[in-house]
Amino acid sequence: MFTGRLCRAAALSRARISSRPVALPFVRSAYRSIVTTRYTTDHESVVFDTETGVGTISITDYAQSSLGDVVFVELPNVGTTVNQGDQIGAIESVKAASDIYAPVSGIVEEINKELDDKPGLLNKVDDEKGWLCKVKLSNPSEVEGLLTADAYKAHCESEGSS
Amino acid sequence: MLASWRHTTSKQLFRRTACSPRYLATTSQIYVSKSHDPYFNLSVEDWLFRHADPEIPLLFLYRDTPCVVIGRNQNPWKEVNHTALRQAAIPFIRRRSGGGTVYHDLGNTNYSIHTSRLSFDRLTTGHLIRDALKSVDIPAYLNERNDICVDNFKIFVLTDCLALHVSGSAYKIVNKRSYHHGTMLIDSDLDSLRGVLRNTKDTMTTKGVASVRSPVRNLIEWKRSFSHDEFCKAVIEAFREHYQCHDRVEYVEERSSIAHTSYVQNGMTELRTWDWLYGQTPEFTHILQHSFDFGPVEATIHSRHGLILSCTLKTRDSSWEEDGMRDQRYAFLPPIRDIDGADDWDRQRRDIWEWLRVEMDR
């Protein structure tokens, strides 16, 4: 059986493959925990766990493949209070320098320290090690305002074709 | 993510500009700046990138008075020799795009070629510049990394190829555009270049993007009479031929209408602010040592976004954190005043403070 942790990891890795549907809600046997994945038009994803109230922020597969090899990632400090839309970090790849904006409001609980030495982890689509930070949401209803997997896919297609 | 302006104030500026109507359309595909002001030229380049029709290729050529231009996520104290910079009385500038550090002066010509992302290809641009040089009898070729070379020397430094492939809906105008940007060494002051880029801070370890140092030479070593005007002419011809473009050259100067857009004006102002120049510096640690008459001292300074997070001092028999340094701007320490009735300990701390104040700003 999956543990909760593995389930979340599985949901996260699925979230990074935009062409595949994301299974939600996910129901565990002991109690209900709903893991929701949502996207922004700026190509960030949030995997939100209602049980912990924590959202794991990543960039989408579409973003990482467009950026190419990532050479530098800057992340916020743990404990920082962020508002939706705030700039919380930066990514530089061989092609472009970009900002990371907070898709949701809350307090930064954990950052992916591994990215300091291995920024290329962001390019590993199937690796759950490519997340950016975890935020304890101050307003979970914000998640519902973000794009679903289908809406995000449509957004990418419109960007790609227009 | 994926916009190149970073902190809140500039983001607000940018969003406001990006959402406003395109009151000034580009009138040509070929722009040459008559200004030598790096703040102006970098801001015009950015304006063109975000406002010109993404479907139509665009060429922009300019040169600047001497300055050092660092990449967006670089550490100015690691990349630039500030003592040499002050002696030469030239500024350093943090540009909005990524990549490494370059030196600009009137002896090198910057070009950027903007294309739609579908046609974005580093090789195509490389071929275009190579063909331009060959047309004036300079035996240029592309090496295996697509650098433009003559006789095994790089004569061109590609600072970045910025491709805003993906971006939020507010940036619809730019998300289909990419640009390729480089600087061609024609008759640059290479001694000055080496001086201002010579790093002296070996004991500073920094996050962010490091520059790759390459041996470089000027084009006049192969063609004595070569000039900025001749290079521009050759690149414009190659661009016209490649993209079947017959537009006249549009000259840009500080009196032009582009210069008076709020986008360019705000951009020029922001490039000079501490927040942008220093406040965008990635995290770093700097360890310094010095022998005072009271014994050796080691200082470990930890900084992020240009502010000192901590400064730990170690002498032979004690170790402490210098609280007065916390939250000070790195390299901008105020001088310390003598206090009446200072004891030995106060004097030692003052000497250490003065030493670090000078060392940080080297």
Side-chain angles (χ1 to χ4, degrees):
Chain A
M1 282 299 287
F2 289 132
T3 65
R5 189 181 165 78
L6 271 175
C7 291
R8 279 203 293 279
L12 178 59
S13 68
R14 268 200 298 275
R16 296 172 62 83
I17 305 168
S18 58
S19 57
R20 284 167 58 181
V22 178
L24 56 132
F26 185 81
V27 182
R28 279 198 279 175
S29 52
Y31 44 86
R32 287 175 74 90
S33 165
I34 300 173
V35 177
T36 310
T37 305
R38 288 285 189 273
Y39 305 84
T40 69
T41 52
D42 290 334
H43 307 280
E44 290 112 5
S45 67
V46 189
V47 179
F48 177 59
D49 185 328
T50 52
E51 181 203 335
T52 59
V54 171
T56 303
I57 299 172
S58 308
I59 63 168
T60 65
D61 182 32
Y62 180 80
Q64 72 77 19
S65 66
S66 303
L67 286 169
D69 292 342
V70 174
V71 294
F72 171 66
V73 182
E74 188 178 74
L75 296 170
N77 288 327
V78 170
T80 310
T81 301
V82 298
N83 290 313
Q84 191 175 38
D86 282 357
Q87 193 237 317
I88 53 167
I91 295 179
E92 187 165 328
S93 74
V94 290
K95 289 184 187 166
S98 318
D99 290 330
I100 310 166
Y101 297 116
V104 286
S105 308
I107 294 170
V108 179
E109 274 210 331
E110 197 182 339
I111 56 168
N112 188 353
K113 277 272 175 204
E114 270 198 81
L115 293 174
D116 270 359
D117 299 325
K118 296 180 199 157
L121 285 175
L122 285 190
N123 294 113
K124 304 241 165 67
V125 182
D126 292 323
D127 192 335
E128 67 273 20
K129 288 179 174 174
W131 55 281
L132 296 168
C133 59
K134 298 186 187 210
V135 173
K136 180 91 173 176
L137 271 63
S138 55
N139 180 8
S141 67
E142 283 174 351
V143 173
E144 291 311 311
L146 300 175
L147 301 178
T148 62
D150 286 345
Y152 175 68
K153 195 174 164 214
H155 170 72
C156 293
E157 280 165 5
S158 73
E159 275 202 343
S161 61
S162 62
Chain B
M1 55 179 292
L2 312 193
S4 65
W5 287 30
R6 242 170 124 162
H7 48 286
T8 324
T9 50
S10 55
K11 211 164 73 191
Q12 284 162 350
L13 282 175
F14 173 54
R15 288 207 165 143
R16 195 162 59 232
T17 318
C19 296
S20 62
R22 286 169 57 187
Y23 41 85
L24 253 181
T26 48
T27 50
S28 174
Q29 284 178 256
I30 303 167
Y31 285 80
V32 175
S33 177
K34 285 188 164 178
S35 167
H36 296 156
D37 177 350
Y39 300 96
F40 175 76
N41 286 331
L42 286 170
S43 300
V44 168
E45 184 174 54
D46 196 42
W47 185 90
L48 288 171
F49 180 59
R50 291 172 197 283
H51 293 77
D53 185 337
E55 300 299 331
I56 301 172
L58 187 141
L59 173 69
F60 180 47
L61 292 157
Y62 63 95
R63 57 183 175 153
D64 290 330
T65 48
C67 62
V68 174
V69 181
I70 67 168
R72 159 71 179 281
N73 292 305
Q74 290 202 292
N75 181 332
W77 295 291
K78 190 71 182 172
E79 296 297 332
V80 183
N81 185 320
H82 290 263
T83 308
L85 205 66
R86 266 192 301 275
Q87 276 164 3
I90 66 175
F92 88 87
I93 303 173
R94 184 189 295 277
R95 65 169 178 272
R96 302 192 188 285
S97 50
T101 300
V102 286
Y103 173 75
H104 286 183
D105 66 13
L106 295 181
N108 65 11
T109 301
N110 305 292
Y111 67 85
S112 57
I113 296 176
H114 306 210
T115 55
S116 78
R117 70 172 154 142
L118 295 175
S119 61
F120 180 73
D121 178 1
R122 193 173 164 178
L123 201 60
T124 312
T125 332
H127 284 153
L128 198 153
I129 300 297
R130 179 201 62 191
D131 293 346
L133 291 173
K134 283 171 93 170
S135 74
V136 289
D137 302 324
I138 293 172
Y141 60 89
L142 297 181
N143 70 7
E144 67 284 355
R145 285 171 48 206
N146 295 332
D147 296 320
I148 302 169
C149 300
V150 182
D151 293 345
N152 289 325
F153 280 93
K154 266 168 89 168
I155 39 92
F156 143 90
V157 185
L158 176 81
T159 52
D160 60 317
C161 41
L162 183 141
L164 285 170
H165 283 237
V166 281
S167 139
S169 53
Y171 317 120
K172 203 85 188 154
I173 297 165
V174 298
N175 68 16
K176 284 179 277 176
R177 209 146 174 74
S178 58
Y179 79 71
H180 208 121
H181 165 143
T183 175
M184 183 64 69
L185 295 164
I186 296 171
D187 185 13
S188 199
D189 183 348
L190 298 183
D191 288 336
S192 178
L193 179 154
R194 288 178 192 117
V196 294
L197 301 185
R198 191 186 63 244
N199 180 252
T200 51
K201 295 193 177 70
D202 297 337
T203 53
M204 178 182 278
T205 43
T206 187
K207 291 179 186 170
V209 176
S211 297
V212 180
R213 284 163 193 271
S214 317
V216 290
R217 282 216 190 158
N218 278 316
L219 274 181
I220 52 151
E221 293 191 31
W222 289 277
K223 188 170 180 179
R224 284 195 77 78
S225 63
F226 203 55
S227 67
H228 166 74
D229 289 340
E230 207 178 339
F231 176 70
C232 288
K233 195 165 160 258
V235 174
I236 289 168
E237 283 311 311
F239 180 85
R240 282 189 169 136
E241 192 172 326
H242 189 91
Y243 292 106
Q244 294 299 302
C245 155
H246 306 290
D247 284 3
R248 286 177 52 189
V249 175
E250 176 93 19
Y251 291 96
V252 187
E253 52 193 321
E254 277 135 272
R255 288 179 307 182
S256 309
S257 46
I258 288 178
H260 297 293
T261 59
S262 56
Y263 192 90
V264 170
Q265 290 294 321
N266 292 337
M268 287 172 70
T269 305
E270 199 202 22
L271 287 178
R272 296 173 197 266
T273 59
W274 180 91
D275 277 358
W276 178 258
L277 274 175
Y278 302 98
Q280 303 292 322
T281 305
E283 202 170 334
F284 68 89
T285 304
H286 193 187
I287 299 173
L288 301 111
Q289 287 166 330
H290 187 68
S291 277
F292 290 89
D293 48 15
F294 52 83
V297 174
E298 183 181 275
T300 304
I301 301 170
H302 187 200
S303 166
R304 181 181 162 104
H305 293 165
L307 297 176
I308 295 172
L309 299 176
S310 66
C311 172
T312 310
L313 296 167
K314 238 191 296 186
T315 58
R316 254 198 296 262
D317 40 32
S318 64
S319 163
W320 72 97
E321 192 151 309
E322 182 52 72
D323 287 336
M325 290 223 182
R326 199 178 301 145
D327 295 331
Q328 295 277 0
R329 292 176 171 184
Y330 182 90
F332 289 87
L333 286 188
I336 208 158
R337 271 180 305 181
D338 282 327
I339 335 157
D340 289 337
D343 58 15
D344 280 355
W345 167 246
D346 290 330
R347 277 190 288 275
Q348 286 180 13
R349 281 181 62 196
R350 183 202 57 197
D351 290 352
I352 293 169
W353 181 285
E354 278 303 304
W355 160 59
L356 290 174
R357 194 173 73 82
V358 173
E359 282 300 317
M360 285 182 205
D361 198 22
R362 274 193 200 281

